[in-house]
Structure formats: structure tokens, C-alpha cells
């Protein structure tokens, strides 16, 4: 079996090509939803948020936030830890890093940075 990549799953585990493709598909599917991206942004700014804290300011029900968090956990983008009676949520940046290395790094960064800067200047 040919090994494709090493993706952090809480423990170091080498995945087969098919397993890595499935894991990558879950990450892309999780990132496709703007609500899930907003949750990830909030966890990027401040980790260790509880479900109640994550629900504050979200334009969706508590059940919907929990469903989105479950999908983010299945994609390994969010990890949880019990702190007493509360479940804290943290961003796991490793799956995004793996995507960056595979899908973005092969392109020339200087040109991408120049295009990004041009876009920002035109938007301002």
C-alpha cells in the first residue's frame, strides 16, 4: 500500500492514499459552509470556547451550532477537551496546513502575494 501523507489525528498516524483523500474531502466539505468557517474563525481568535460561548452572536440555533461543530470534529478541524463540567473547543490547524502544503505551496508565492495585494488595493 502506497503511503500518501501524514495527517495529525490526535495521534501520529500514517494514512493510506484512499484514507487521506477521504480526510481531505471531509475538510473541504467542512470548510464549504460559511457558518462553519465563522465558527473556525472564532476558535482561531480564542480557543477553549464552550458551546454556549460559541452560540453567542451566531445567527443559528444551539442545535445547528452543535451540528456544525460535530462536522468540524469529524473533519479533525476542531478538537475538544473536558475542563471540569464544560467541553472546550479548540481549532486544530493541521488539516488546513496539509491542504496548504498540497494545494497552495506548489504555486509561486510571490505572484500569489502580488495578486492578493493588488486585490486588496482595488477593494480599498
Amino acid at each position: 500500500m502506497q503511503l500518501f501523507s501524514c495527517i495529525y489525528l490526535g495521534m501520529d498516524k500514517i494514512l493510506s492514499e484512499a484514507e487521506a483523500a477521504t480526510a481531505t474531502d471531509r475538510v473541504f466539505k467542512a470548510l464549504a459552509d460559511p457558518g462553519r468557517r465563522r465558527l473556525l474563525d472564532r476558535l482561531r481568535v480564542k480557543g477553549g470556547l464552550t458551546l454556549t460561548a460559541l452560540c453567542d452572536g451566531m445567527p443559528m440555533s444551539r442545535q445547528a451550532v452543535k451540528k456544525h461543530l460535530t462536522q468540524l470534529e469529524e473533519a479533525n478541524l476542531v478538537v475538544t477537551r473536558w475542563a471540569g463540567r464544560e467541553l472546550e473547543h479548540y481549532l486544530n490547524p493541521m488539516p488546513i496546513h496539509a491542504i496548504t502544503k498540497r494545494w497552495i505551496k506548489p504555486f509561486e508565492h510571490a505572484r500569489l502575494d502580488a495578486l492578493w495585494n493588488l486585490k486588496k488595493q482595488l477593494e480599498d
Side-chain angles (χ1 to χ4, degrees):
M1 180 184 310
Q2 181 182 5
L3 297 179
F4 177 72
S5 66
C6 180
I7 297 177
Y8 184 71
L9 296 174
M11 297 169 30
D12 290 328
K13 178 181 178 184
I14 305 293
L15 299 178
S16 70
E17 186 173 347
E19 291 170 327
T22 303
T24 302
D25 289 343
R26 284 194 299 268
V27 172
F28 277 116
K29 182 177 178 182
L31 292 173
D33 183 81
R36 289 191 285 271
R37 290 193 307 268
R38 185 169 179 203
L39 288 170
L40 289 175
D41 283 337
R42 294 184 67 193
L43 291 172
R44 180 181 47 83
V45 171
K46 183 179 182 199
L49 296 175
T50 63
L51 178 60
T52 302
L54 285 168
C55 288
D56 289 342
M58 290 296 287
M60 60 181 85
S61 68
R62 180 181 178 92
Q63 292 80 10
V65 171
K66 179 60 181 162
K67 183 177 177 181
H68 285 304
L69 284 172
T70 300
Q71 290 177 313
L72 291 169
E73 287 177 47
E74 289 171 357
N76 199 34
L77 289 165
V78 170
V79 292
T80 58
R81 180 180 73 103
W82 284 100
R85 294 175 48 193
E86 295 186 335
L87 187 62
E88 297 175 338
H89 300 82
Y90 295 89
L91 172 66
N92 178 15
M94 292 307 295
I96 296 171
H97 178 70
I99 287 171
T100 300
K101 283 182 71 174
R102 180 174 178 197
W103 294 97
I104 298 172
K105 290 258 184 184
F107 300 100
E108 294 181 43
H109 288 283
R111 289 185 182 174
L112 290 175
D113 287 340
L115 287 173
W116 175 262
N117 291 334
L118 178 61
K119 178 182 182 258
K120 285 297 178 188
Q121 289 175 357
L122 292 173
E123 289 175 347
D124 293 339

